[in-house]
Amino acid sequence: MFTDDAGKGGIAAGGPGNSAESNRRTGGDLVQLITPGGERVSHPEFDSWVQDVSDEQLGALYEDMVVIRRIDAEATALQRQGQLALWPPLLGQEASQIGSARALRDDDFVFPSYRDNGVAYCRGVNVEDIVRAWRGNALSGWDPFTVNVATQQIIIGSQTLHATGYAMGIQNDGADSVAVAYFGDGATSEGDVNEALVFAASFQAPVVFFCQNNHWAISEPVRLQSHIQIADRAAGFGIPSMRVDGNDVLAVMAAMRVALDRARHGGGPTFIEAVTYRMGPHTTADDPTRYRDANELEDWAAKDPISRLKSLLERKGLLTAEFEAAVSAKADAVAKALRAGTINMPEPQPLDIFRHVYSTSNSWLDRQQDHYSRYLASFGDPAEAASEEGAR
Amino acid sequence: MTQMTFARAINSGLRKSLENDPKVILMGEDIGALGGVFRVTDGLQKDFGRHRVVDTPLAESGIMGTAVGLAYRGYRPVVEIQFDGFIYPAFDQIVSQVAKMHYRTQGAVKMPITIRVPFGGGIGSPEHHSESPEAYFTHTSGLRVVSVSNPQDAHTMIQQAIACDDPVLYFEPKRRYHDKGDVDESLDLSAALSMEKARVVTEGKDVTLVAYGPLVKTAKDAALAAADEGVSVEVIDLRSLAPLDFVTLEASVRKTGRLVITHEAGQSGGLGAEVAASITERCFYHLEAAPVRVTGFDVPYPYSKLEMHHLPGLDRILDGVDRALGRPNSLSGLEG
């Protein structure tokens, strides 16, 4: 859209730095730069995209993954202790989220799903804001415009359209930032994701579709969702795609950089399938032992994204005791802040329920608020009245 | 004042909004070169370009969902849903995203999206082209819902809807698109009646007759006919369906003591039920009789050869007025 020659050109044009070959990449080509054993392997096309990643940056990626895994474990514990109502663990998906999010520029805009807490962390969201909605203290924890991350989406796949629309706005503004949609393999069955791919291709919008194929949509295996490799679906929309080892933080970063670069230079959308595995439950409310084989979990544990990078750091002589202690201290500090932030989170006030439904006053709602306010006042202390009400 | 059709009046309002605010973007199927299936956007793409008046792929959820993203980016999208019956694929984006984003983000993200919906029957269309889905949306918090009944309101209220920071569903009575009326295009928006207010169209003292959109004209005609029989009917055009202007409604019912509500949508759970219940709560001791609803039946919109039986016409409305007044009517002698 937004350009007067929209629709004239081919809809699958690749951006600079991307060969036609990569546009035709098939599901068989799983981009990998670090083996499960922690060996750095070279890739003719993708090496150049991460050659600037220094040892120090490699260490920082490791730290991010350790910290986000710790956040995940702490939040799970907080849920078990009744401090959070629910928690969607990302255990096993650390490389997909950290590798992709660390490739972004500050002015790029992310539209995440509920599980993309590692992405939120990388964008600078406060840890207690990450759990605020799961504690039930708000519907979302942060102002999207302070971190350029939309509120986490619970309706499956809805945010892929929001990212596409935002990207159309970027295009109209003549900016070179990029919108990124994060979603899972299950979302690709949704109509909205397919419509987002249509719109993105038609208007050549600067959007990256980042699909974490974690193999399970609650209890439904990915084979029930897609008869072919998910990345291969993009070709049908005229969108170039990549299939990348989602447990390899460097490969994910390389793929994301390729896609972002394409979008920034007018090359349109890209679809990335990060092949990973959700090692925990869908949320703390379900029990994966009821629907999946223990052997499968074991197979994937051997491809763990953190131990893989740890092995690489070890091979490179970067895993010093001092470094490990620093990472551990950081994880401890973040976990402590998360716990304290959760437990000390201020309770919302009863009349907050009426706030922000509309941007300006609404006569119906004003009346209901007034009535409820009088009702609460009839008990004396409104907070006390609300808790008595709840106890009935 | 200029005489123009309803459709032209909306077109002129859209044009002014496009001129006044570069962040206004029109989106929809066939709205560009064709000018929309009802020609409401006629000529706008030619004058404002394809980046302001966007022909979209044929996907309603896609149109609505990308509008959400554009609103995130600071735009004010005006979305055209081609026909009432095509809005359902976009329902999730409207009620789960558009309506809730401001609440969800505690006011950080505004959704100034206007959703134009040609609605209602009476034009002999096939299935899915004549529906009245407004109650689905009046039931959803976070949305504002309006319906226009005359070219002047059509012209000003589309601009008010676009300027509003909340999402607005703007229901256009398609069978009135070709009706002509006076439009003051120079009317300043701040001087115009707020789109949240109802309007007393015809003053009367015996019964309050509430209508909106396509049936306002029918209600006016009914009031004229009733006057011939010596009955004084006060006709109110709701204009805003959510929120409802109970101040105007209450004042009228306190005066007349009787209430008739009419709409094309089916009766059960419709807007008439809300008006009747709320007015009963608020004006119980002023009512001389139970509120009466004259509505479409609780049937899927029928094939067009039967639609005039489904749609409330002048005689059915007058029969409702007779019921409210306790005069002989079609239900005389029956309980309830």
Side-chain angles (χ1 to χ4, degrees):
Chain A
M1 103 180 204
F2 300 140
T3 56
D4 277 339
D5 58 355
K8 283 183 198 160
I11 55 168
N18 303 299
S19 68
E21 196 58 37
S22 73
N23 293 344
R24 286 196 297 273
R25 185 169 304 286
T26 61
D29 303 330
L30 191 69
V31 179
Q32 190 179 76
L33 300 178
I34 306 172
T35 66
E39 192 187 346
R40 175 74 169 84
V41 287
S42 79
H43 190 290
E45 201 176 335
F46 286 84
D47 274 345
S48 62
W49 290 92
V50 286
Q51 65 187 11
D52 63 309
V53 177
S54 64
D55 287 350
E56 196 185 330
Q57 286 169 323
L58 219 48
L61 291 170
Y62 176 74
E63 182 196 282
D64 281 342
M65 291 203 287
V66 170
V67 169
I68 189 61
R69 182 168 288 189
R70 183 62 182 277
I71 289 173
D72 209 48
E74 195 70 22
T76 302
L78 283 163
Q79 193 280 329
R80 297 302 185 218
Q81 291 159 7
Q83 295 293 339
L84 301 180
L86 191 73
W87 177 251
L90 60 77
L91 183 69
Q93 299 179 221
E94 294 86 353
S96 288
Q97 296 196 15
I98 303 300
S100 58
R102 287 296 183 208
L104 301 173
R105 238 168 45 186
D106 282 352
D107 64 341
D108 295 330
F109 207 102
V110 171
F111 290 84
S113 84
Y114 49 83
R115 201 185 302 286
D116 300 311
N117 298 302
V119 178
Y121 169 76
C122 289
R123 301 294 283 177
V125 174
N126 293 328
V127 281
E128 71 265 27
D129 284 345
I130 293 178
V131 299
R132 193 176 300 277
W134 303 106
R135 188 166 168 79
N137 283 39
L139 291 181
S140 67
W142 60 86
D143 176 343
F145 300 114
T146 60
V147 285
N148 281 358
V149 180
T151 173
Q152 290 186 325
Q153 184 57 246
I154 289 180
I155 299 288
I156 302 298
S158 207
Q159 75 279 15
T160 57
L161 279 168
H162 306 167
T164 303
Y166 191 93
M168 288 156 68
I170 291 173
Q171 197 174 36
N172 204 28
D173 294 342
D176 74 342
S177 54
V178 179
V180 182
Y182 281 86
F183 54 104
D185 47 297
T188 61
S189 298
E190 288 279 2
D192 276 1
V193 175
N194 289 272
E195 293 188 23
L197 293 168
V198 169
F199 273 66
S202 296
F203 298 128
Q204 286 294 283
V207 54
V208 177
F209 296 99
F210 190 84
C211 175
Q212 290 167 80
N213 174 1
N214 71 12
H215 284 79
W216 291 91
I218 306 189
S219 71
E220 310 284 10
V222 67
R223 65 180 175 275
L224 191 69
Q225 310 282 342
S226 185
H227 194 62
I228 60 169
Q229 305 282 25
I230 287 176
D232 290 346
R233 289 179 163 188
F237 295 92
I239 294 177
S241 70
M242 290 174 265
R243 191 161 182 268
V244 61
D245 185 335
N247 286 10
D248 173 349
V249 71
L250 216 49
V252 171
M253 179 176 270
M256 194 64 171
R257 285 176 166 185
V258 169
L260 291 167
D261 185 71
R262 174 180 290 153
R264 289 195 211 293
H265 291 92
T270 301
F271 188 104
I272 297 172
E273 178 191 358
V275 182
T276 181
Y277 193 74
R278 184 243 292 159
M279 295 174 77
H282 164 66
T283 69
T284 45
D286 78 327
D287 173 10
T289 63
R290 291 173 74 107
Y291 55 79
R292 70 183 184 191
D293 193 335
N295 294 331
E296 187 181 290
L297 183 61
E298 220 170 275
D299 289 348
W300 279 94
K303 303 176 196 168
D304 185 280
I306 296 185
S307 56
R308 178 183 309 206
L309 186 56
K310 189 175 181 180
S311 301
L312 177 64
L313 293 175
E314 208 163 15
R315 282 165 191 268
K316 290 167 80 81
L318 300 169
L319 201 71
T320 61
E322 193 189 3
F323 173 72
E324 284 201 276
V327 169
S328 180
K330 175 74 182 278
D332 285 348
V334 172
K336 199 173 164 192
L338 172 60
R339 177 163 289 272
T342 303
I343 291 167
N344 300 322
M345 201 175 282
E347 288 291 304
Q349 294 303 301
L351 293 181
D352 287 349
I353 197 171
F354 296 104
R355 296 185 69 209
H356 305 303
V357 180
Y358 299 89
S359 62
T360 50
S361 71
N362 173 298
S363 53
W364 285 3
L365 200 55
D366 289 349
R367 179 181 159 104
Q368 289 180 13
Q369 176 170 346
D370 183 48
H371 281 187
Y372 192 58
S373 166
R374 284 161 192 260
Y375 169 79
L376 289 179
S378 72
F379 291 87
D381 178 17
E384 222 170 81
S387 70
E388 278 172 26
E389 186 76 6
R392 269 181 211 167
Chain B
M1 285 285 183
T2 315
Q3 272 268 318
M4 63 175 75
T5 63
F6 212 109
R8 198 72 210 164
I10 301 171
N11 180 283
S12 161
L14 290 170
R15 177 177 291 278
K16 284 174 79 170
S17 294
L18 283 161
E19 279 167 357
N20 293 339
D21 187 348
K23 291 296 185 186
V24 172
I25 284 187
L26 272 49
M27 305 168 68
E29 297 156 11
D30 306 307
I31 69 167
L34 182 67
V37 291
F38 293 104
R39 310 292 183 266
V40 171
T41 54
D42 189 27
L44 297 178
Q45 189 181 65
K46 185 172 147 285
D47 294 343
F48 292 93
R50 293 164 54 154
H51 62 297
R52 301 286 308 281
V53 181
V54 183
D55 267 324
T56 65
L58 205 160
E60 284 77 11
S61 190
I63 296 168
M64 202 62 66
T66 50
V68 169
L70 280 158
Y72 247 107
R73 182 76 191 175
Y75 285 87
R76 305 183 86 85
V78 183
V79 165
E80 177 175 305
I81 296 295
Q82 197 159 65
F83 280 95
D84 35 49
F86 306 167
I87 201 168
Y88 308 113
F91 192 73
D92 172 58
Q93 285 288 344
I94 297 171
V95 302
S96 301
Q97 308 298 335
V98 174
K100 291 181 182 164
M101 200 65 80
H102 192 262
Y103 192 66
R104 181 183 295 148
T105 61
Q106 292 152 78
V109 183
K110 294 199 179 347
M111 285 286 126
I113 299 175
T114 301
I115 304 167
R116 291 184 39 237
V117 191
F119 88 120
I123 62 167
S125 285
E127 200 179 6
H128 313 298
H129 289 67
S130 304
E131 305 194 1
S132 300
E134 58 272 19
Y136 295 117
F137 303 103
T138 59
H139 190 64
T140 298
S141 303
L143 300 175
R144 292 177 184 273
V145 183
V146 302
S147 183
V148 287
S149 71
N150 62 80
Q152 180 68 64
D153 275 355
H155 177 75
T156 50
M157 284 169 71
I158 189 66
Q159 295 176 73
Q160 289 169 329
I162 293 168
C164 180
D165 276 342
D166 293 324
V168 181
L169 279 119
Y170 180 93
F171 281 98
E172 303 170 4
K174 67 173 86 80
R175 68 166 135 148
R176 305 291 181 211
Y177 272 141
H178 302 297
D179 289 4
K180 281 191 174 174
D182 283 331
V183 177
D184 178 359
E185 288 175 285
S186 66
L187 185 65
D188 190 66
L189 280 194
S190 57
L193 184 65
S194 158
M195 69 174 180
E196 202 173 301
K197 300 298 267 179
R199 190 200 311 270
V200 177
V201 178
T202 308
E203 289 198 29
K205 58 181 174 46
D206 295 332
V207 60
T208 298
L209 173 58
V210 178
Y212 57 90
L215 288 187
V216 172
K217 181 177 185 298
T218 317
K220 275 164 73 177
D221 293 344
L224 275 176
D228 288 343
E229 297 175 22
V231 176
S232 169
V233 176
E234 178 146 303
V235 176
I236 293 184
D237 177 2
L238 286 178
R239 299 169 89 249
S240 175
L241 313 187
L244 284 162
D245 173 12
F246 284 112
V247 174
T248 303
L249 287 174
E250 277 183 59
S252 178
V253 172
R254 280 167 202 267
K255 179 173 69 173
T256 63
R258 298 173 197 276
L259 173 65
V260 176
I261 313 122
T262 185
H263 54 64
E264 292 188 9
Q267 183 166 296
S268 300
L271 204 62
E274 177 57 42
V275 171
S278 287
I279 287 296
T280 304
E281 281 178 358
R282 294 168 192 234
C283 305
F284 185 71
Y285 294 105
H286 296 269
L287 283 168
E288 304 286 342
V292 170
R293 286 174 287 171
V294 181
T295 69
F297 303 113
D298 289 336
V299 299
Y301 197 87
Y303 30 97
S304 60
K305 289 270 172 69
L306 288 183
E307 69 178 336
M308 285 312 171
H309 290 281
H310 175 73
L311 297 169
L314 185 143
D315 288 326
R316 270 180 68 198
I317 290 173
L318 286 175
D319 186 61
V321 168
D322 286 340
R323 281 161 60 198
L325 286 163
R327 290 161 39 119
N329 64 75
S330 61
L331 299 182
S332 293
L334 295 176
E335 287 290 326

